PDB file of all heavy atoms in Angstrom:
ATOM      1  N   PHE G 167       1.238  12.548   5.187  1.00 95.00           N
ATOM      2  CA  PHE G 167       1.996  11.473   4.572  1.00 95.00           C
ATOM      3  C   PHE G 167       1.505  10.129   5.102  1.00 95.00           C
ATOM      4  O   PHE G 167       0.929  10.045   6.194  1.00 95.00           O
ATOM      5  CB  PHE G 167       3.486  11.639   4.865  1.00 95.00           C
ATOM      6  CG  PHE G 167       4.068  12.918   4.330  1.00 95.00           C
ATOM      7  CD1 PHE G 167       4.521  13.909   5.189  1.00 95.00           C
ATOM      8  CD2 PHE G 167       4.152  13.141   2.960  1.00 95.00           C
ATOM      9  CE1 PHE G 167       5.058  15.094   4.708  1.00 95.00           C
ATOM     10  CE2 PHE G 167       4.681  14.317   2.458  1.00 95.00           C
ATOM     11  CZ  PHE G 167       5.134  15.301   3.334  1.00 95.00           C
ATOM     12  N   VAL G 168       1.760   9.063   4.346  1.00 96.00           N
ATOM     13  CA  VAL G 168       1.301   7.734   4.775  1.00 96.00           C
ATOM     14  C   VAL G 168       1.937   7.332   6.105  1.00 96.00           C
ATOM     15  O   VAL G 168       1.318   6.605   6.900  1.00 96.00           O
ATOM     16  CB  VAL G 168       1.588   6.662   3.704  1.00 96.00           C
ATOM     17  CG1 VAL G 168       0.753   6.906   2.461  1.00 96.00           C
ATOM     18  CG2 VAL G 168       3.073   6.578   3.360  1.00 96.00           C
ATOM     19  N   THR G 169       3.161   7.804   6.355  1.00 96.00           N
ATOM     20  CA  THR G 169       3.820   7.484   7.626  1.00 96.00           C
ATOM     21  C   THR G 169       3.049   8.069   8.800  1.00 96.00           C
ATOM     22  O   THR G 169       2.891   7.412   9.847  1.00 96.00           O
ATOM     23  CB  THR G 169       5.260   8.015   7.616  1.00 96.00           C
ATOM     24  OG1 THR G 169       5.269   9.364   7.133  1.00 96.00           O
ATOM     25  CG2 THR G 169       6.156   7.173   6.725  1.00 96.00           C
ATOM     26  N   GLU G 170       2.552   9.284   8.635  1.00 95.00           N
ATOM     27  CA  GLU G 170       1.772   9.917   9.698  1.00 95.00           C
ATOM     28  C   GLU G 170       0.458   9.167   9.931  1.00 95.00           C
ATOM     29  O   GLU G 170       0.041   8.959  11.080  1.00 95.00           O
ATOM     30  CB  GLU G 170       1.474  11.374   9.331  1.00 95.00           C
ATOM     31  CG  GLU G 170       2.719  12.242   9.202  1.00 95.00           C
ATOM     32  CD  GLU G 170       2.435  13.600   8.581  1.00 95.00           C
ATOM     33  OE1 GLU G 170       1.363  13.757   7.935  1.00 95.00           O
ATOM     34  OE2 GLU G 170       3.274  14.493   8.728  1.00 95.00           O
ATOM     35  N   MET G 171      -0.185   8.768   8.847  1.00 96.00           N
ATOM     36  CA  MET G 171      -1.448   8.043   8.953  1.00 96.00           C
ATOM     37  C   MET G 171      -1.246   6.678   9.611  1.00 96.00           C
ATOM     38  O   MET G 171      -2.047   6.244  10.439  1.00 96.00           O
ATOM     39  CB  MET G 171      -2.088   7.874   7.570  1.00 96.00           C
ATOM     40  CG  MET G 171      -2.305   9.184   6.829  1.00 96.00           C
ATOM     41  SD  MET G 171      -3.390  10.314   7.723  1.00 96.00           S
ATOM     42  CE  MET G 171      -3.005  11.873   6.912  1.00 96.00           C
ATOM     43  N   LEU G 172      -0.151   6.005   9.228  1.00 97.00           N
ATOM     44  CA  LEU G 172       0.152   4.697   9.809  1.00 97.00           C
ATOM     45  C   LEU G 172       0.381   4.826  11.312  1.00 97.00           C
ATOM     46  O   LEU G 172      -0.159   4.039  12.101  1.00 97.00           O
ATOM     47  CB  LEU G 172       1.393   4.105   9.138  1.00 97.00           C
ATOM     48  CG  LEU G 172       1.977   2.848   9.791  1.00 97.00           C
ATOM     49  CD1 LEU G 172       0.973   1.706   9.744  1.00 97.00           C
ATOM     50  CD2 LEU G 172       3.282   2.453   9.116  1.00 97.00           C
ATOM     51  N   LYS G 173       1.164   5.818  11.702  1.00 96.00           N
ATOM     52  CA  LYS G 173       1.466   5.992  13.126  1.00 96.00           C
ATOM     53  C   LYS G 173       0.202   6.294  13.916  1.00 96.00           C
ATOM     54  O   LYS G 173       0.024   5.814  15.048  1.00 96.00           O
ATOM     55  CB  LYS G 173       2.498   7.102  13.312  1.00 96.00           C
ATOM     56  CG  LYS G 173       3.161   7.082  14.674  1.00 96.00           C
ATOM     57  CD  LYS G 173       4.503   7.764  14.659  1.00 96.00           C
ATOM     58  CE  LYS G 173       5.227   7.555  15.980  1.00 96.00           C
ATOM     59  NZ  LYS G 173       6.603   8.103  15.969  1.00 96.00           N
ATOM     60  N   SER G 174      -0.701   7.086  13.332  1.00 95.00           N
ATOM     61  CA  SER G 174      -1.950   7.411  14.039  1.00 95.00           C
ATOM     62  C   SER G 174      -2.811   6.164  14.233  1.00 95.00           C
ATOM     63  O   SER G 174      -3.474   6.010  15.274  1.00 95.00           O
ATOM     64  CB  SER G 174      -2.731   8.483  13.285  1.00 95.00           C
ATOM     65  OG  SER G 174      -3.204   7.999  12.036  1.00 95.00           O
ATOM     66  N   LEU G 175      -2.797   5.265  13.253  1.00 97.00           N
ATOM     67  CA  LEU G 175      -3.553   4.014  13.382  1.00 97.00           C
ATOM     68  C   LEU G 175      -2.981   3.144  14.502  1.00 97.00           C
ATOM     69  O   LEU G 175      -3.724   2.564  15.298  1.00 97.00           O
ATOM     70  CB  LEU G 175      -3.518   3.239  12.058  1.00 97.00           C
ATOM     71  CG  LEU G 175      -4.405   3.747  10.924  1.00 97.00           C
ATOM     72  CD1 LEU G 175      -4.104   2.997   9.632  1.00 97.00           C
ATOM     73  CD2 LEU G 175      -5.882   3.610  11.281  1.00 97.00           C
ATOM     74  N   ILE G 176      -1.673   3.056  14.545  1.00 97.00           N
ATOM     75  CA  ILE G 176      -1.020   2.238  15.575  1.00 97.00           C
ATOM     76  C   ILE G 176      -1.266   2.829  16.961  1.00 97.00           C
ATOM     77  O   ILE G 176      -1.605   2.116  17.920  1.00 97.00           O
ATOM     78  CB  ILE G 176       0.494   2.124  15.291  1.00 97.00           C
ATOM     79  CG1 ILE G 176       0.743   1.395  13.964  1.00 97.00           C
ATOM     80  CG2 ILE G 176       1.203   1.393  16.432  1.00 97.00           C
ATOM     81  CD1 ILE G 176       2.189   1.419  13.499  1.00 97.00           C
ATOM     82  N   GLU G 177      -1.113   4.144  17.070  1.00 95.00           N
ATOM     83  CA  GLU G 177      -1.301   4.806  18.365  1.00 95.00           C
ATOM     84  C   GLU G 177      -2.758   4.812  18.818  1.00 95.00           C
ATOM     85  O   GLU G 177      -3.049   5.016  19.999  1.00 95.00           O
ATOM     86  CB  GLU G 177      -0.747   6.227  18.302  1.00 95.00           C
ATOM     87  CG  GLU G 177       0.776   6.255  18.169  1.00 95.00           C
ATOM     88  CD  GLU G 177       1.339   7.654  18.053  1.00 95.00           C
ATOM     89  OE1 GLU G 177       0.545   8.599  17.811  1.00 95.00           O
ATOM     90  OE2 GLU G 177       2.569   7.804  18.179  1.00 95.00           O
ATOM     91  N   ALA G 178      -3.662   4.560  17.856  1.00 95.00           N
ATOM     92  CA  ALA G 178      -5.083   4.450  18.209  1.00 95.00           C
ATOM     93  C   ALA G 178      -5.417   3.085  18.809  1.00 95.00           C
ATOM     94  O   ALA G 178      -6.563   2.836  19.201  1.00 95.00           O
ATOM     95  CB  ALA G 178      -5.948   4.700  16.982  1.00 95.00           C
TER      96      ALA G 178
END
Side-chain angles (χ1 to χ4, degrees):
F167 299 113
V168 293
T169 47
E170 297 169 342
M171 304 300 162
L172 170 63
K173 197 157 188 175
S174 67
L175 284 172
I176 297 171
E177 292 178 346

